[in-house]
Amino acid sequence: MRLMNSDLLSRAALSCYMSHTRAALIGENCLSEMSWPRGGSFCGSRGASFAHILKKNISPPFGLSVAPATPEVNNRNNLLEPACNSPTDRGVRSKSILPRELIDRYKRGETHAVSVLHQLSQVLQFQMEFKETVTTGNITGFYFAFCVVIDEVQYKTGMGANKKAAKAKAAQLALEDLLPTLDGGSLLPEAADGPPPLPVKELQFRSPESHPGRAVYEHKNPINEHVPQAVRELLSKLMASYPEFSACGNTVAAFVTQSPCGCEVVALGTGDYNTKERASPNGRVLHDSHAVVTARRSLMRYLYRHLLLFFSKNQSLEEKSIFQQDQSTMLLSLKNNTSLHLYMNHLPKGAAQIPSNLRLKPLSISAWEVNNQISLHVTVEGNVFSVFSPAVDLAVSRVVSMSATDKITQWQVLGFQGALLSHFTEPIYVSSILVGDASCCDVRGMENAVNQRVDGITPRLPMYYCVYRPHISLVATACPEGVGTSQLRHSLNWSQGDVSLEVVDGLGGKTVEESPFKSGPALASRLCKAAMLSRFNLVAKEAQRQDLLATVSYREAKMMAKPYQEAKSVLRSYLAQKGYGSWVAKPPVSDHFSM
């Protein structure tokens, strides 16, 4: 909104505007607490700052009036319209700028975050701009970074492959902090003395008693409550339907999407083993059945389904897809109002489980490596070893998998989509990693393993790839009572859209006979490489990618994803260069099959 010269507009116009806007803001339809899309958490909340913004800006000086903004803020010619001259006009204009309406439209995905911010700045009279800044966490390279600045208060940094995407992300992060301050209470003064101070929803968290000297202050994050709740509800439903497999839920991982519709579990996996069999030459043995690996491969199945929706050439189906397309690169990415989160009910095996009293500092890195703490780790039949450990002979082991921690580190650089899906999508990262482990009191090891080991790698990576730093925190457990009380070698997997669970023998790498879902008499898991290649070919056909359909093997299709392979090579070389050890790859024979 624009302040108009007091010689042109009377106090009557101001009084009319204030009364209508007050009714709009504190009426029956006041904003309720919602959960909004968020990216990686890089800095503290600005909720208190916005309260001060409202206090400073909502009451214009006497003698001045404000011109109501039109709904179409993208039409810059409309921003300086003259003030309304009649009560009828004023009433109509007040209704057209109700913040509740703007917020509802944003929640339904009908209004872009940037547009909502512009409109709120007009309604609530604050100065707002997008400021180009540096990428968070010293991330440089091919990413743009912007932050929203409101009345000299700087909000969280949003990053994107282009300026438009970075501004959109910055707007989402700013709205994430702004909108909760509008959930009730009077935002406008009853008298001319100025507005009362706004209640600010801040919550102070203290670390567990084992760390009494370390106080942590965080803005209350609804994700920390909503994600475990969604996982708990799904687990309870699945275990009620298949009680005979309830003991398989001791180690659980799940991927949850967050959108204006709320939090929704889209992929889930359990398990603690990798196969003892030799590498399969036909792609039909599941080599690694640890929970986060199983959940991630279930996530890939979910992504393939939504790629088929996007390429269906049916508008109604395309709208249901979580993907949107960048017209300059033609690659797909998650829609602006959708984010992805990872839940685990235990710290993953490997470097994430380092003792909480140890700290990774520049002067102690060599000590860490000597103690095999922060190095890369491998798992053999469910047991975990440092790559530097003499306890395991990698040359004679049948199948060796990298630890779950190391795989998460890799996915936060290369993306959770993998090589095949990267032919169609940009890297897909998780915005937060939530650990629901009641026995855990510190996630410092997880933060070091996922973030600090790869500090400084981003400038070496190809376009679109970076170190995406997720917000890592401890949350309530999502396991219902009576679930997962024993360590069984069976692994469960489920993806949104599945009618039943699949149960895999973690040591054998194939579906068990009593599994509710079986793909066929060969008992190949729906998560195996051959199944993924079949889905890849189906999507390539729908997308009319003849170059991909011409590939003769699984390995060739993976190697054709050149940016992904370049990023993977850079990552593994970087880890070895930093002294964390060499990444152990599976025998090439496991990738040379075709359909």
Side-chain angles (χ1 to χ4, degrees), residues 156-229:
K156 299 172 187 174
T157 299
M159 294 184 295
N162 52 57
K163 291 185 177 181
K164 180 179 178 181
K167 287 182 177 180
K169 192 65 178 179
Q172 291 176 21
L173 293 174
L175 285 172
E176 177 183 292
D177 283 337
L178 302 188
L179 293 179
T181 66
L182 301 179
D183 69 336
S186 176
L187 299 183
L188 294 176
E190 294 296 337
D193 294 334
L198 290 177
V200 179
K201 290 198 169 182
E202 297 280 347
L203 188 62
Q204 294 184 356
F205 290 93
R206 285 195 173 270
S207 56
E209 292 302 320
S210 57
H211 304 277
R214 184 163 63 93
V216 180
Y217 298 90
E218 296 183 3
H219 182 69
K220 184 177 181 181
N221 183 358
I223 281 292
N224 290 357
E225 298 176 2
H226 296 167
V227 166
Q229 180 181 352

Side-chain angles (χ1 to χ4, degrees), residues 351 360 365 369 374-377 387-388 402-403 405-414 448-457 460-461 467 567-584:
L360 179 61
I365 289 180
E369 293 166 358
I374 199 66
S375 67
L376 297 175
H377 288 71
V387 292
F388 298 130
M402 297 304 297
S403 73
T405 297
D406 297 328
K407 289 188 174 183
I408 293 173
T409 303
Q410 174 175 266
W411 297 330
Q412 279 300 113
V413 175
L414 306 184
N448 287 338
V450 173
N451 295 328
Q452 197 162 343
R453 288 194 300 184
V454 289
D455 264 348
I457 193 178
R460 309 185 186 192
L461 297 170
V467 178
K568 182 169 72 172
S569 177
V570 168
L571 171 64
R572 295 182 179 181
S573 296
Y574 188 84
L575 291 170
Q577 176 189 344
K578 290 294 183 178
Y580 299 123
S582 298
W583 194 279
V584 180

Side-chain angles (χ1 to χ4, degrees), residues 35-165:
S35 176
W36 299 96
R38 64 183 292 120
S41 180
F42 301 109
C43 61
S45 167
R46 299 289 185 176
S49 300
F50 190 51
H52 292 301
I53 290 168
L54 288 175
K55 183 174 181 180
K56 181 172 67 174
N57 291 338
I58 204 67
S59 180
F62 281 109
L64 298 181
S65 185
V66 288
T70 61
E72 299 297 330
V73 297
N74 290 332
N75 183 352
R76 305 302 298 174
N77 295 328
N78 290 338
L79 293 181
L80 295 176
E81 282 193 11
C84 51
N85 295 318
S86 70
T88 302
D89 291 339
R90 287 192 294 268
V92 171
R93 289 179 183 273
S94 293
K95 292 179 182 179
S96 69
I97 57 170
L98 293 182
R100 175 64 190 184
E101 180 182 347
L102 302 182
I103 293 166
D104 282 346
R105 290 173 60 194
Y106 174 65
K107 183 177 70 172
R108 295 192 299 266
E110 299 173 1
T111 303
H112 196 276
V114 175
S115 177
V116 172
L117 267 183
H118 278 296
Q119 294 185 60
L120 287 176
S121 72
Q122 298 295 305
V123 174
L124 300 178
Q125 289 185 256
F126 56 77
Q127 297 294 322
M128 188 273 296
E129 66 174 328
F130 286 88
K131 175 183 176 183
E132 189 164 10
T133 183
V134 296
T135 50
T136 53
N138 296 321
I139 294 175
T140 58
F142 297 98
Y143 268 67
F144 292 93
F146 280 85
C147 66
V148 173
V149 180
I150 296 179
D151 281 4
E152 301 181 354
V153 175
Q154 182 171 309
Y155 284 72
K156 299 172 187 174
T157 299
M159 294 184 295
N162 52 57
K163 291 185 177 181
K164 180 179 178 181

Side-chain angles (χ1 to χ4, degrees), residues 282-302:
N282 59 15
R284 287 169 171 78
V285 170
L286 196 59
H287 296 124
D288 193 340
S289 294
H290 284 86
V292 71
V293 178
T294 300
R296 184 253 182 171
R297 295 186 75 82
S298 298
L299 172 69
M300 294 166 70
R301 294 180 58 233
Y302 169 79

Side-chain angles (χ1 to χ4, degrees), residues 205 208 218 220-232 252 254 256 341-347 432-443 471-479:
F205 290 93
E218 296 183 3
K220 184 177 181 181
N221 183 358
I223 281 292
N224 290 357
E225 298 176 2
H226 296 167
V227 166
Q229 180 181 352
V231 177
R232 187 180 304 111
V252 177
V256 180
H341 307 269
L342 169 61
Y343 170 87
M344 296 176 288
N345 74 329
H346 293 296
L347 284 173
S432 59
I433 297 176
L434 309 177
V435 182
D437 191 340
S439 64
C440 178
C441 63
D442 196 343
V443 291
H471 181 74
I472 303 174
S473 57
L474 290 172
V475 297
T477 182
C479 287

Side-chain angles (χ1 to χ4, degrees), residues 112 165 168 172 306-307 310 318 321-327 329-338 424-426:
H112 196 276
Q172 291 176 21
H306 280 263
L307 284 175
F310 185 86
E318 182 179 340
S321 173
I322 61 170
F323 290 113
Q324 61 185 5
Q325 190 169 45
D326 186 317
Q327 294 304 314
T329 66
M330 302 309 290
L331 289 175
L332 306 184
S333 63
L334 297 182
K335 289 179 178 177
N336 291 333
N337 61 2
T338 301
F424 309 103
T425 75
E426 296 177 5

